[in-house]
Amino acid sequence: MLLVRYLAMVKRRAVLLDVDYVAGEDGTLVRLLLKGKRLFRLYDEYEPYFYAVAPKEAEKEIMQVKVPSRGAFASPSKCERVKRLLFGKEVEIWKVYCRRPFDVPHISAEVSKKYPVYENNIPFGKRYMIDKGLAPFSEITYEREEKRIKRIIKVKEGGWNLRTMSFDIETYNPSGTPRPEKDEVIMISYDCEGEQRVISSKKIARDFVIACKDEREMIKKFLEIVNAKDVEVLLGYNSTVFDLPYLKERAEKNGLDFAIGRDGSSFRLQKKGIRTAAEITGRIHVDLYPVVRFMGFIGAFKISKYSLENAYEELTGKKKLMVGKLDIWKMWEDERHREELAEYSRFDAVATMEIGKILLPLMMEMGRLTRLSLFDAAGATAGQLVESLLMHKSFEHGAIIPNKPGDEVAAERELAPIKGAFVKIPQPGIYENLVVFDFRGLYPSIITSHNIDPYTLNPPKSVPDSDCYVSPIGHRFLKKPRGLIPLVLEELIKMRAKVKEQLKKADKDSREYEALYAKAQSLKILANSYYGYLAYSRSRWYSRECAESVTAWGRHYIMETIRKAEREGFEVLYGDTDSVFLLMGKKTREDALAFMKKINRELPGDMELELEGFYPRGVFVTKKGAEESGAKKKYALIGEDGRIKIRGFELVRRDWSAIAKATQRKVLEAILKHGSKEMAVRVVREIIERLKKGDVALEDLVIYTQIRKDPRKYDVKSPELSAAQKAMAKGVAIEKGAMVGYVITKHGNSISDKAQLAEFAKDYDANYYINHQVLPAVLKILKELGYSEEDLKFGGEQQDLSSFF
C-alpha cells in the first residue's frame, strides 16, 4: 500500500495565480488556481484559525464555546499555545482553530466578549498564502496525489504567459443611455492573441465581422468563443459596471445562462472596500477602468478624464476611432454607416487590449510584490497594497497582525488633520539659470533613517535620548530593534535600486526590459504609499505620532537645506515638500554640485539630495486672488534638452477646454523656448481672431466636468447641471457622479442657459471662450511681461523680453 501511494505521488511545477477555498461539514479545502500548459486547480488541506489573548487556564473555556454558524452550531476544533510578538512585545497566546472559515467570525465574536482576539477577519485564501509564504505569479514546485497537494517543495519568482482576451459591447440607444431591460446588444467585439472580431446580429460586409441571426445567437457565440479559446484573462473597460451586467441581463431576456465562467457559471459582484469587482470562476477578469483611475490618482501618469478614448490617447499617444455616442442607433439602422460602426466597435476591443498590454505587467508585478492576485491587485487602493505586504511580513517576523479599526475609531482619527509639508512661496516672474534639487524618496527615506514605526514609538523614559531618534515635535523612536515598516521599506528601496541598475543594462525592446520597468514602477508606487498608510484612518498600522513625525522631519530637512543654500550664496526661489529651486546667479554648475554633496554628507541613513536638473529659464505665476503672492506648484521650466516641464497650469486640468490648454502651452513654449514675448502675444491674438471668426472646431471647446449633484434636484444651475438637465429632457440618462462634456453655445441669456452637452452643440459663444477660457489661461503668464487683457485684445506696447529678467 505504501509503495502504491509513493508511485502515485507526482512532482510538478506551475505558476500560482490565485487561492480560494471550498468548505463542507467535515472541514475546509484550499483551492489553488495554477497555470501550467493550461489553467487547472489543485486542493490542499488547511485549518482556519484566529488568536485569543487569554491566560493558559482559559483553554477549556474557549473550547466550550458553541455558537450558531450557517444553520449549524460551531465550536473550536483545537487550541494551541504559541509565542508571538504583540505590539512589539513577545507574549504567549492561544491559537484557536476552527473547522470552516465562516465559523471564525462567529466563534471569535463570542471569545472577544471576554478576551481580545486578533486575525479573525483575514480572508481564508489570503490566510493560506500568508502562512505558506506564497505569492501570485510565483512558481511553485510541489508533490501531488491526484488533485491533492501533499507537499510544496520550493517557491521562486515565476513568469507569466496568460491567454488574454479584451472585449467591448455596443448597444442600441435611441433614448441616449441604453436600457438593458429594453435595448439590445448589437455588437460584441473582441481581441484575442491578434484575432480581432466583431460579432453582430446583422450582416456587415467586413471580413472581421461574424454575423448572427439575432441577439440571442450573438451572445451565445461570444460565450462559445471565450470557452473555445480557453481565455485565462478577460479584459474590459468599465466592464464591471456596464458590459458584463448588460450582457447578463440581455442573456436572461433571451432565455440564456450567461455562462462565462470556466465551470459554466456567471460572474459574481464582490465588494472590495469602496469598489465593486466582477469575479469569474476559472478566469481572471480585469476591469481596466479602476486601474487607470488609480494610476492617474497616484500620479503614475497624467490623465484629465478616464474615458476609454482618453486613456488610450494618454497611454499610447494614438487617437482612437470615434463615433458620436448618440448616433450609434442611427448608424445601426442605416446600412451605409453600419460598416463604420463595426470598425468603431472593433477598435474599442483593440484599444482595451493595447491599454491592457501596458498596465497588466505593472499590475502583475504589483500583485507579486504585495502578494495579491491579479484580480485583487487590479482593484486595490494604495492602502490595500501596502496592507497586504505588511500582513505577510508580520507573519514572517512572528508578529500579530493588528485589527482593522471600527467606524467610530476611524471617524475619530479623521477629526484632527496632520500638519503637512513646508512651502516657500516663489515671487511671480520669469527667471533664468536655475538649478533644482529634490530629496530622493523623502518620506520613505525619513521612515527608514529614523526607524519610524508604531512599535518603536515612545519607549519608556528610562531609555535615554541617545538610544532614540527624537522628532522635531518631540516623539521618540528606538534606534534598535528595527521596526517592521522601516524593514519592509528598506527592502523595497534596495530592491528598486537593484532593478534600476538592471534596467540600464537591458535591451529597451526586450521582454526583460518590460518586466524590469514594471517592477521598478511597482516598487516606486508601493514605497511612496507607506507614509499615507500610517496616516490613513482605517489603517491596521495607523499612528498619528508616526505620520506627524514624518512630515515634521520633512519640514525640518527642507528648511535646513534652504538655510544652508542661502549661506552658500544661492538665492532660494522656491521650496516645496521635497524640492528646492535655486537661482544660480554667478554660481557655476560645479558650485551647485559641491553644495549637493555637502548636504548629503550631513544627512542621516538613506536620505539623499539629488540633482533634478539645470534649467535655462522658468516662469512662476501668481495665485488667484492674491496677486502679490506666488502660487504653489504652478510653474513651467525649460530644460537643457529643450523639454518643457509644467506643473499646476490649467493644461493638466479637465475643467478647461482644449483651446485654452493648447493656447497656454504655445504661450509657454514661446517664452521658454524662444525667449519671445512677441511670439507669445501673437499666439493669443491669433487664437482670439480664430474664435471670433468661428474657425475653432467644437471638439476643441468641450469643457469636461463631473456632475457632483443629482441634476434632478437642483433649480440653481451651474453650466454642467444645466447641460445635463437639457440632455435628460431628450432622454439621456445622467446620474450623480457622471462625467459630462459641454459647450457654451450662442443661445441663452446666461452662461448656464447657453450650456449644451457636446453631442447637442451646434455653435459656440466666442466671447465666452475668449474671456473665460483663453485669456484666464494665459494672463497670469503674460502679465509678468507687462501685458493686460486689453493689450491682448486690442494691441499694446511691445518691449524686449530681456527687460523682464
Side-chain angles (χ1 to χ4, degrees), residues 435-443 445 496 500 524 554 557-558 561-562 574-582 592-593 595-597 599-600 603 606-615 633 635 637 645 647:
V435 61
V436 180
F437 296 109
D438 56 28
F439 284 94
R440 179 178 55 83
L442 178 64
Y443 286 174
S445 65
R496 184 164 184 253
K500 287 175 77 175
K524 179 181 178 180
Y557 285 113
I558 198 76
T561 303
I562 287 171
Y574 177 39
D576 185 3
T577 310
D578 60 354
S579 302
V580 288
F581 293 58
L582 308 180
L593 295 174
F595 167 72
M596 181 183 72
K597 290 177 182 177
I599 291 290
N600 283 330
L603 288 172
D606 298 322
M607 296 192 68
E608 182 183 355
L609 190 68
E610 293 183 314
L611 173 68
E612 201 276 327
F614 291 99
Y615 296 92
K633 287 188 178 175
Y635 59 87
L637 303 167
K645 177 180 179 179
R647 293 290 182 270

Side-chain angles (χ1 to χ4, degrees), residues 372-652:
L372 287 173
S373 68
L374 175 58
F375 174 70
D376 288 331
T381 63
Q384 288 166 340
L385 294 170
V386 168
E387 184 171 279
S388 177
L389 182 54
L390 284 177
M391 289 169 74
H392 279 263
K393 294 297 182 180
S394 283
F395 178 83
E396 289 176 15
H397 288 83
I400 294 293
I401 297 167
N403 291 332
K404 283 187 176 180
D407 291 341
E408 288 185 14
V409 172
E412 187 178 340
R413 290 173 176 178
E414 291 171 359
L415 292 177
I418 292 167
K419 185 178 179 181
F422 169 79
V423 178
K424 175 181 167 56
I425 300 295
Q427 284 300 310
I430 300 164
Y431 298 88
E432 287 191 326
N433 199 16
L434 301 92
V435 61
V436 180
F437 296 109
D438 56 28
F439 284 94
R440 179 178 55 83
L442 178 64
Y443 286 174
S445 65
I446 286 173
I447 292 170
T448 59
S449 299
H450 301 85
N451 203 26
I452 298 175
D453 188 272
Y455 306 142
T456 64
L457 171 67
N458 290 341
K461 292 181 180 179
S462 57
V463 178
D465 282 354
S466 58
D467 291 337
C468 300
Y469 297 104
V470 183
S471 81
I473 53 176
H475 299 308
R476 304 195 312 154
F477 298 89
L478 280 172
K479 291 181 177 178
K480 294 181 181 179
R482 298 293 282 160
L484 176 67
I485 290 175
L487 277 171
V488 172
L489 262 177
E490 276 176 351
E491 187 179 328
L492 295 175
I493 291 167
K494 288 176 182 176
M495 201 183 301
R496 184 164 184 253
K498 183 179 178 183
V499 170
K500 287 175 77 175
E501 285 301 312
Q502 292 172 323
L503 264 174
K504 292 176 184 177
K505 301 172 186 175
D507 179 356
K508 288 191 175 183
D509 295 323
S510 67
R511 184 69 178 270
E512 180 195 11
Y513 185 90
E514 179 185 299
L516 288 169
Y517 181 79
K519 189 168 188 174
Q521 287 295 102
S522 300
L523 287 163
K524 179 181 178 180
I525 290 166
L526 200 55
N528 287 337
S529 299
Y530 274 78
Y531 160 72
Y533 186 69
L534 282 169
Y536 175 47
S537 63
R538 294 188 177 274
S539 165
R540 292 178 185 266
W541 277 269
Y542 172 86
S543 171
R544 179 185 176 84
E545 296 91 339
C546 288
E548 66 184 3
S549 292
V550 173
T551 57
W553 259 307
R555 292 190 299 274
H556 166 77
Y557 285 113
I558 198 76
M559 290 165 71
E560 276 292 296
T561 303
I562 287 171
R563 281 194 287 269
K564 290 172 182 176
E566 289 172 339
R567 284 203 299 267
E568 293 288 328
F570 291 95
E571 183 181 346
V572 180
L573 173 65
Y574 177 39
D576 185 3
T577 310
D578 60 354
S579 302
V580 288
F581 293 58
L582 308 180
L583 297 177
M584 299 272 285
K586 295 182 179 179
K587 295 280 188 180
T588 65
R589 296 167 68 97
E590 289 71 26
D591 293 333
L593 295 174
F595 167 72
M596 181 183 72
K597 290 177 182 177
K598 184 176 180 180
I599 291 290
N600 283 330
R601 284 196 295 270
E602 298 168 359
L603 288 172
D606 298 322
M607 296 192 68
E608 182 183 355
L609 190 68
E610 293 183 314
L611 173 68
E612 201 276 327
F614 291 99
Y615 296 92
R617 187 175 291 128
V619 58
F620 292 75
V621 305
T622 54
K623 285 173 66 175
K624 184 177 180 180
E627 298 299 312
E628 72 284 355
S629 300
K632 179 184 177 185
K633 287 188 178 175
K634 200 161 189 177
Y635 59 87
L637 303 167
I638 186 166
E640 293 177 306
D641 59 359
R643 293 184 181 180
I644 292 178
K645 177 180 179 179
I646 297 170
R647 293 290 182 270
F649 284 105
E650 284 77 4
L651 57 88
V652 295

Side-chain angles (χ1 to χ4, degrees), residues 677-678 681 685 786-799:
K677 79 162 189 177
E678 290 83 9
V681 171
R685 288 178 181 160
Y787 276 92
S788 67
E789 183 173 335
E790 288 71 24
D791 293 329
L792 296 176
K793 288 182 179 178
F794 310 115
E797 293 293 323
Q798 295 194 10
Q799 303 170 53

